[in-house]
Amino acid sequence: MSIKPPQPAPSWNHRPDEIGTLIKDLLAKDRSHMDKIAALPAAGCNFESLALSEAETDFDAVAEPLSFYQNVSADKALRDASNEAEVLVRDYGVESSMRIDVYQAKVAAEKNIKESGQWDKLSAEEKRLVERMILDGTRSGLALPEEKRNQLTALKKELSQLCLEFSKNFNEEDQRITFTAKQLEGVPKDVISGYTKRTEGSEEVYDATYKTPDIFPIFKFSKDPETRRKAFEGYESRLEVNVPLLSKALGIRRQLASILGYETWSVADYVTEVKMIKNGKSVIDFLDDLEEKLRPVGIKDRDTLLALKKKEHEELGLPFDGEFYIWDYRYYDRKFIESSLDLDDMVVKEYFPVTVVVPTILEIYQNLLGVRFEEIDGTTWHPEVQQFSVWEKDSKDESGFIGYCYLDLYPRSGKYSHAAVWPLLPGYDRPDGKRSYPIAAMVANLAKPTPDKPALMRHDDVVTFFHEMGHVFHGLLSHTKFSRFHGTSVARDFVEAPSQMLENWCWEPKVLEKMSSHFETKKPLSPELISKLVKSRYVNVGLFYLRQVFFAKFDIQVHTSSEDQDYTALWNSLRESISLVKSGKPAPGQGTFGHITGGYDAGYYGYTYSLVFAADMYATVFKADPLDSSRGKRYREKILVPGGSREELDSLKDFLGREPNSKAFLNELFGSQQSASL
């Protein structure tokens, strides 16, 4: 008999016309609460009277799920209403963060807490809350004169709307690119069978979307370089509508930084002062050092792939100009792996049916972290979505309840087009002493079944799924007193580290055997295939990571430049010089760089920076026995439970038993001969 959760699952049956009313009521309630705090006499301001975390928690509990619809609902009216609601929420967030009267009450509370001796009685997490609420105010510019504060408020609202519009364009993008069967030669038949087939004149043609399951196989498999070029340039240009939005957003960020007294948005440390790296110069030094180490490896990779291209062009009678283009990379990377390792991505895919992989990955996580998933039949935002209640493994009553998880795995029109996790509700202690439980939703775009085959996952998809489930568990298993420190509410240059560490499981032979099952024979991957797959992990690693350095350097450059520039030219020239690939016609790829308006401004470096911690955690604790539940328990207690309630470095030292270092990361990339610190 299943146990009834102590907290009901949310309902997902909102109508478009309800959302605006719910949000307006929420804003009015929160404004009233802030007015009460602002009206307190200075002497009456303390930890209890300000109820520091409660208002923010109550607000997010209503606003987050309503804002989520814009990413997943099949109903355009509901997506639009959700997006409009987020416009109101973001505007109000700016207005609220700029309230000098509330800030003054917080400053008075901090003074009273310290002078009364209450400070010494606060827990470490309570002290962190007090310190962070004051830092929020100073970083918002509340110590500035009124005229400048008003300027900041107007600019922040404008920036917020630009970022939201940028994101909306991403979700709503629904273009098609058309090819003939001849142009698609080499692309697997099961992929082509998923395209829309129609007749144009006397010829049959196929319309592909720019969604990952449609377009990436063209990059990887189309024999015709012109097809790959056309597909790539279309893909890079699909969000040209975002180009002016990004230029405007970057201009506003420069204005904001100037008013706040920072030289630039990044180097003068505004963005990085609350991250592990602490300052912008360290970001640039880190990226320069990594690029220097990677460049000779990348040149060797490119020369190898270029020789492969020359040979194929001669065999096929195609012209060869001696250049290696961006649309050649995925194609020849695959060809090289196939020829050097005799490893075919499409054969490997047959061993990863979604119906086997997803439950197996959930089972691995459940055993590793001591939890239990129970699928439930509640309301969701779409019929394809799976809903689970999550419990401690051996729980016998409601005290073992952890939270809820949703899996939304397949592409559809209007849906968020990549893979990501939304922490819809954080966990926290309520004022009445009871617990409010977290909710996490994973959104992905896995290939759907075809007439010939069930839904199959490429190994890349398996890695991505494992990674994103890492974020889900960070959101579910964190246990903090206050919601603002829950789960993934950690420094942005650490947030990816736990999930990046967990990707290693997808390269471990016994894990690969466990989660593979051929869709016809039901047999797992053979030891021979597993060995080839593992060897493929660091093939062309130089080119792969130079691409990451390119994204990070573009991000840092546009946030340290003091004036506007041609960002399309910068995007293409930087990619050529760093990634070692030619671009062809300059395409406005920066319009597709969602991270830059989605919270990773001057922060993309964090994806690579956090790999240093991920590699260290895995090599030090898990490598010897990745499926050992006692190691999983240590990871859960030392990394997941604290969330952002303490410094990330303290969590790492607690987990590792020492200061972290970059030896494992450099050893992964370059072998043990190059282990000098980054």
Side-chain angles (χ1 to χ4, degrees):
M1 189 183 91
S2 61
I3 314 157
K4 186 182 176 187
Q7 174 179 303
S11 61
W12 295 96
N13 48 15
H14 295 93
R15 298 188 314 273
D17 58 340
E18 281 180 294
I19 288 185
T21 307
L22 288 167
I23 288 293
K24 282 169 189 167
D25 290 348
L26 176 68
L27 302 189
K29 182 183 168 190
D30 193 74
R31 192 175 283 116
S32 167
H33 180 83
M34 292 298 157
D35 289 344
K36 284 175 189 163
I37 288 177
L40 287 168
C45 294
N46 55 48
F47 199 89
E48 290 75 26
S49 64
L50 264 62
L52 290 175
S53 192
E54 288 163 36
E56 182 184 327
T57 302
D58 293 345
F59 186 91
D60 289 346
V62 176
E64 284 293 325
L66 295 181
S67 296
F68 179 58
Y69 279 117
Q70 66 188 298
N71 297 293
V72 292
S73 176
D75 179 355
K76 187 170 190 322
L78 192 56
R79 291 200 305 274
D80 289 345
S82 172
N83 188 266
E84 285 157 19
E86 189 165 349
V87 170
L88 296 176
V89 167
R90 288 190 181 205
D91 270 358
Y92 176 72
V94 171
E95 175 195 314
S96 177
S97 73
M98 296 302 291
R99 283 191 65 160
I100 190 77
D101 50 0
V102 175
Y103 175 64
Q104 285 164 345
K106 289 176 179 178
V107 170
E110 183 191 37
K111 182 170 178 279
N112 294 340
I113 288 165
K114 288 184 173 173
E115 288 180 357
S116 68
Q118 190 188 6
W119 181 259
D120 297 330
K121 296 170 189 165
L122 297 183
S123 68
E125 187 177 343
E126 287 167 338
K127 287 177 181 173
R128 190 170 175 85
L129 182 70
V130 174
E131 289 164 351
R132 286 300 170 101
M133 74 178 183
I134 300 296
L135 183 62
D136 289 347
T138 52
R139 282 173 59 77
S140 292
L142 293 179
L144 294 171
E146 185 179 4
E147 183 193 349
K148 289 198 168 182
R149 292 200 310 273
N150 290 340
Q151 269 183 283
L152 283 173
T153 303
L155 286 169
K156 284 180 180 179
K157 284 186 176 181
E158 190 179 355
L159 177 62
S160 174
Q161 302 321 314
L162 287 166
C163 292
L164 200 52
E165 193 179 340
F166 193 103
S167 165
K168 185 180 183 183
N169 289 338
F170 242 102
N171 291 350
E172 296 294 330
E173 185 278 313
D174 197 26
Q175 299 168 65
R176 301 289 188 278
I177 185 165
T178 305
F179 295 104
T180 63
K182 187 173 188 307
Q183 289 171 321
L184 291 172
E185 188 185 347
V187 179
K189 287 187 171 59
D190 63 324
V191 173
I192 295 173
S193 71
Y195 298 160
T196 303
K197 188 177 176 183
R198 61 185 174 86
T199 305
E200 199 172 81
S202 60
E203 198 168 28
E204 278 190 343
V205 294
Y206 297 87
D207 293 335
T209 70
Y210 287 119
K211 307 291 185 211
T212 307
D214 274 10
I215 200 74
F216 273 57
I218 296 176
F219 299 152
K220 285 186 80 164
F221 293 100
S222 172
K223 286 185 178 178
D224 184 350
E226 274 304 295
T227 298
R228 297 196 305 273
R229 181 193 62 76
K230 180 182 166 187
F232 181 80
E233 288 178 353
Y235 184 70
E236 280 274 286
S237 305
R238 73 192 189 280
L239 286 162
E240 192 164 5
V241 64
N242 278 342
V243 167
L245 301 181
L246 181 60
S247 295
K248 206 167 178 184
L250 292 170
I252 290 173
R253 284 177 182 156
R254 283 193 290 274
Q255 286 177 267
L256 286 169
S258 173
I259 294 168
L260 287 165
Y262 292 88
E263 213 172 287
T264 66
W265 190 247
S266 166
V267 169
D269 307 334
Y270 177 78
V271 173
T272 49
E273 72 181 340
V274 289
K275 296 184 181 176
M276 290 190 75
I277 206 160
K278 297 305 179 198
N279 59 71
K281 183 179 183 304
S282 296
V283 174
I284 292 168
D285 290 347
F286 170 74
L287 293 172
D288 284 349
D289 189 27
L290 186 58
E291 184 183 358
E292 188 186 336
K293 285 184 166 74
L294 286 167
R295 193 170 179 82
V297 185
I299 288 170
K300 192 177 166 194
D301 291 348
R302 184 193 60 189
D303 290 348
T304 301
L305 298 186
L306 191 59
L308 203 58
K309 176 181 176 179
K310 182 172 188 281
K311 183 169 178 282
E312 183 178 69
H313 275 232
E314 284 169 357
E315 287 168 358
L316 297 175
L318 294 168
F320 177 70
D321 61 5
E323 297 287 4
F324 192 72
Y325 293 98
I326 181 74
W327 52 85
D328 290 329
Y329 170 63
R330 290 183 192 276
Y331 179 75
Y332 287 105
D333 181 60
R334 172 190 64 83
K335 294 275 287 185
F336 178 74
I337 288 169
E338 284 182 6
S339 61
S340 63
L341 294 174
D342 189 25
L343 182 66
D344 185 342
D345 196 35
M346 289 298 107
V347 170
V348 172
K349 187 169 98 163
E350 294 182 348
Y351 287 86
F352 292 125
V354 173
T355 52
V356 172
V357 175
V358 171
T360 307
I361 289 179
L362 292 183
E363 182 195 330
I364 289 168
Y365 270 114
Q366 288 172 94
N367 293 335
L368 186 70
L369 299 172
V371 299
R372 183 175 84 238
F373 267 52
E374 288 184 5
E375 188 160 4
I376 52 178
D377 188 20
T379 67
T380 62
W381 52 88
H382 192 273
E384 288 177 346
V385 177
Q386 291 175 276
Q387 183 184 17
F388 301 87
S389 59
V390 187
W391 302 80
E392 295 291 351
K393 194 171 191 176
D394 301 318
S395 52
K396 302 284 190 291
D397 56 41
E398 65 172 36
S399 67
F401 183 64
I402 291 170
Y404 291 103
C405 169
Y406 295 89
L407 299 181
D408 184 351
L409 301 179
Y410 300 104
R412 55 182 177 270
S413 181
K415 180 184 162 183
Y416 178 78
S417 58
H418 295 287
V421 171
W422 271 262
L424 294 173
L425 285 184
Y428 57 92
D429 290 347
R430 295 188 339 212
D432 62 7
K434 292 183 178 172
R435 187 81 183 152
S436 186
Y437 298 93
I439 300 174
M442 180 188 163
V443 177
N445 284 272
L446 303 177
K448 287 188 168 186
T450 68
D452 308 325
K453 293 178 181 175
L456 299 171
M457 296 168 77
R458 294 178 305 122
H459 183 254
D460 283 356
D461 299 325
V462 177
V463 175
T464 299
F465 189 86
F466 219 96
H467 174 107
E468 296 301 337
M469 285 307 296
H471 290 311
V472 167
F473 282 102
H474 204 166
L476 290 174
L477 297 179
S478 174
H479 199 290
T480 57
K481 180 172 184 175
F482 301 114
S483 64
R484 78 167 289 167
F485 298 131
H486 181 84
T488 52
S489 300
V490 294
R492 271 287 168 104
D493 50 5
F494 179 72
V495 73
E496 296 297 333
S499 286
Q500 288 168 332
M501 179 196 74
L502 289 157
E503 290 179 19
N504 285 285
W505 274 249
C506 302
W507 302 96
E508 285 291 344
K510 64 179 173 184
V511 179
L512 283 166
E513 186 181 356
K514 186 178 175 68
M515 64 186 178
S516 58
S517 172
H518 193 276
F519 78 96
E520 287 177 330
T521 67
K522 311 302 179 211
K523 287 182 178 175
L525 283 164
S526 66
E528 184 192 10
L529 257 182
I530 288 173
S531 173
K532 290 175 181 178
L533 192 57
V534 172
K535 281 178 187 167
S536 76
R537 183 176 189 182
Y538 294 112
V539 168
N540 299 324
V541 70
L543 287 177
F544 177 84
Y545 279 108
L546 282 171
R547 180 171 174 267
Q548 293 299 306
V549 172
F550 152 63
F551 288 135
K553 283 205 164 185
F554 177 84
D555 171 38
I556 271 295
Q557 281 205 26
V558 299
H559 287 112
T560 54
S561 168
S562 56
E563 53 192 39
D564 197 23
Q565 57 186 301
D566 181 341
Y567 296 118
T568 299
L570 180 67
W571 178 266
N572 288 275
S573 64
L574 264 187
R575 181 166 55 202
E576 287 204 0
S577 66
I578 296 170
S579 302
L580 307 176
V581 290
K582 294 285 284 184
S583 285
K585 185 181 83 176
Q590 74 275 20
T592 70
F593 195 18
H595 296 80
I596 216 163
T597 57
Y600 277 87
D601 45 302
Y604 194 89
Y605 76 91
Y607 278 102
T608 311
Y609 186 73
S610 56
L611 278 169
V612 173
F613 307 123
D616 199 5
M617 288 194 289
Y618 186 68
T620 305
V621 176
F622 279 110
K623 179 65 181 166
D625 191 354
L627 297 175
D628 175 27
S629 59
S630 66
R631 293 165 207 256
K633 184 170 183 278
R634 175 173 162 188
Y635 168 67
R636 178 176 172 176
E637 288 173 358
K638 311 286 191 189
I639 299 290
L640 301 184
V641 166
S645 67
R646 61 179 176 179
E647 288 293 313
E648 293 77 14
L649 194 57
D650 291 338
S651 291
L652 277 167
K653 285 193 286 193
D654 195 12
F655 180 66
L656 296 167
R658 57 165 171 77
E659 292 268 355
N661 63 55
S662 60
K663 284 179 185 170
F665 174 66
L666 291 170
N667 189 35
E668 267 186 26
L669 260 56
F670 308 112
S672 54
Q673 75 277 8
Q674 187 167 0
S675 57
S677 178
L678 267 173

